[in-house]
């Protein structure tokens, strides 16, 4: 059964570990992540961007597929199906489709409008038992064609948004989506510590998990980060494994062209990557 992400993240925050949000794009990714979570006895969050939702023919298709797969694989660990960087309209579509968690990314609105829309969505989500994430300070890099700058959030704005009743908060601390540039300065732990102090026990979310050094991940967890989003790193290992299979000519041997065989190395690579992250984040055996 799919659950809201609130309880798993409150527990993670208290237990000083983080739950991974892994983004899904198709059936193979979903299956790889669900099976790994079960094998690791770890809670997990499946993230769906608006672009991935469109690719999979809509949020209803995604929700129905994830629910059915969770059931038919006999998954017993807590799984949340979460809209990643949702627009106002996207949030309503996911609520209707049966998602168990949403993120409203109002960081590009003026703060007053962000507050008004977030308040409304908090009430709707909570009325239906869903969890809700909000964002303050744009996360840099490019996601679905939207480029942010990698700001550091204002801790007072974080407190304002946290007080609206959101369940977890993504605060920009110099993190960006995708690969980090050579001259990246690293996470701003001063910002994180200041945000953490302002928002009390609120679980914090670290976007752009790809390429952040392990020691910075661990320090972020010690300062209140309880959810870490990883997408690009899974895409990279999937691509590398698929390329190796093709370059070795395996797609031309026997029935190697069968998509179930062709995608198998990428599938295994995602499983290994997700396991590595669950171990690093400390969520193994926390289901
Ligand atoms: P990466 O693609 O950098 O891992 O970021 C994922 C993310 O933050 C999704 O919201």
């Amino acid at each position: 059964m799919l659950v809201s992400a609130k309880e798993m993240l409150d527990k993670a925050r208290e237990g000083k570990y983080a739950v991974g949000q892994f983004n899904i794009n198709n059936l193979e990714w979903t299956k790889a992540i669900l099976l790994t979570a079960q094998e690791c006895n770890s809670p997990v969050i499946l993230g769906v961007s608006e672009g991935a939702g469109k690719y999979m023919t809509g949020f209803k298709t995604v929700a129905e597929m994830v629910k059915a797969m969770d059931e038919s694989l006999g998954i017993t660990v807590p799984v949340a199906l979460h809209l990643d960087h949702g627009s106002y309209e996207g949030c309503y579509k996911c609520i209707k489709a049966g998602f168990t968690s949403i993120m409203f990314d109002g960081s590009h609105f003026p703060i007053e409008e962000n507050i008004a829309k977030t308040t409304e969505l908090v009430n709707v989500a909570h009325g239906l038992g869903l969890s809700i994430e909000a964002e303050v300070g744009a996360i840099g890099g490019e996601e679905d064609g939207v480029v942010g700058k990698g700001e550091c959030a204002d801790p007072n704005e974080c407190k304002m948004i946290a007080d609206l009743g959101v369940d977890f908060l993504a605060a920009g601390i110099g993190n960006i989506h995708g690969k980090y540039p050579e001259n990246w300065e690293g996470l701003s732990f001063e910002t994180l510590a200041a945000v953490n102090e302002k928002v009390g026990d609120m679980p914090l979310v670290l976007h752009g998990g790809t390429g952040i050094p392990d020691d910075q991940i661990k320090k972020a967890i010690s300062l209140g980060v309880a959810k870490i989003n990883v997408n690009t790193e899974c895409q990279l290992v999937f691509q590398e494994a698929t390329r190796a299979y093709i370059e070795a000519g395996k797609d031309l041997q026997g029935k190697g062209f069968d998509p179930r065989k062709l995608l198998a190395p990428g599938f295994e690579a995602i499983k290994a990557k997700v396991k590595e992250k669950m171990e690093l984040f400390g969520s193994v055996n926390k289901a």
Side-chain angles (χ1 to χ4, degrees):
M1 207 181 75
L2 305 183
V3 296
S4 125
K6 179 170 171 52
E7 193 184 325
M8 66 170 88
L9 292 181
D10 283 346
K11 273 166 79 179
R13 163 85 216 216
E14 205 186 320
K16 289 214 180 296
Y17 60 92
V19 177
Q21 175 195 301
F22 302 96
N23 286 48
I24 58 170
N25 300 285
N26 59 21
L27 178 144
E28 283 76 14
W29 287 50
T30 311
K31 186 174 162 190
I33 297 162
L34 287 178
L35 285 175
T36 311
Q38 186 69 25
E39 281 162 27
C40 291
N41 191 29
S42 167
V44 75
I45 299 169
L46 301 178
V48 182
S49 68
E50 300 230 0
K54 273 198 203 111
Y55 175 79
M56 291 184 272
T57 75
F59 295 123
K60 185 171 188 298
T61 310
V62 178
E64 298 292 329
M65 175 183 76
V66 171
K67 270 190 233 164
M69 203 186 285
D70 186 70
E71 201 180 299
S72 50
L73 290 174
I75 304 296
T76 56
V77 296
V79 177
L81 179 60
H82 180 72
L83 170 64
D84 190 26
H85 291 282
S87 62
Y88 178 75
E89 296 76 19
C91 284
Y92 278 105
K93 282 186 193 161
C94 285
I95 290 169
K96 191 163 168 237
F99 277 48
T100 56
S101 189
I102 53 173
M103 172 183 187
F104 173 54
D105 183 353
S107 61
H108 50 281
F109 287 116
I111 187 75
E112 296 75 24
E113 196 170 353
N114 192 358
I115 286 177
K117 289 194 158 63
T118 304
T119 306
E120 177 190 312
L121 285 164
V122 163
N123 290 331
V124 175
H126 286 174
L128 295 165
L130 276 71
S131 49
I132 175 165
E133 171 180 346
E135 173 172 327
V136 180
I139 314 292
E142 184 179 335
E143 189 158 79
D144 281 348
V146 182
V147 182
K149 284 197 308 284
E151 296 167 3
C152 280
D154 173 347
N156 290 319
E157 272 189 29
C158 289
K159 166 97 179 111
M160 226 190 299
I161 297 287
D163 285 349
L164 302 178
V166 298
D167 299 295
F168 31 101
L169 185 75
I173 54 168
N175 43 327
I176 61 168
H177 292 117
K179 291 181 182 173
Y180 285 87
E182 290 288 319
N183 60 354
W184 180 55
E185 290 172 10
L187 297 177
S188 167
F189 291 110
E190 292 99 84
T191 307
L192 182 56
V195 170
N196 193 30
E197 215 206 319
K198 287 272 179 191
V199 302
D201 290 339
M202 166 89 41
L204 298 173
V205 183
L206 185 61
H207 282 249
T210 295
I212 298 177
D214 290 2
D215 57 333
Q216 293 193 36
I217 292 278
K218 287 192 173 144
K219 188 161 178 188
I221 293 172
S222 77
L223 289 167
V225 165
K227 171 175 180 278
I228 302 178
N229 297 2
V230 178
N231 182 23
T232 305
E233 224 167 313
C234 289
Q235 295 185 352
L236 290 170
V237 294
F238 186 82
Q239 174 259 338
E240 280 159 17
T242 310
R243 178 189 290 271
Y245 180 85
I246 291 172
E247 282 184 350
K250 292 192 182 160
D251 56 323
L252 302 173
Q253 295 162 16
K255 281 263 193 171
F257 54 83
D258 179 334
R260 286 170 288 183
K261 291 206 163 62
L262 182 63
L263 299 181
F267 172 83
E268 292 300 332
I270 292 177
K271 283 191 73 190
K273 180 55 75 182
V274 170
K275 180 165 188 260
E276 176 195 313
K277 294 295 169 190
M278 287 178 167
E279 284 167 354
L280 173 65
F281 300 164
S283 70
V284 173
N285 285 328
K286 296 290 187 345

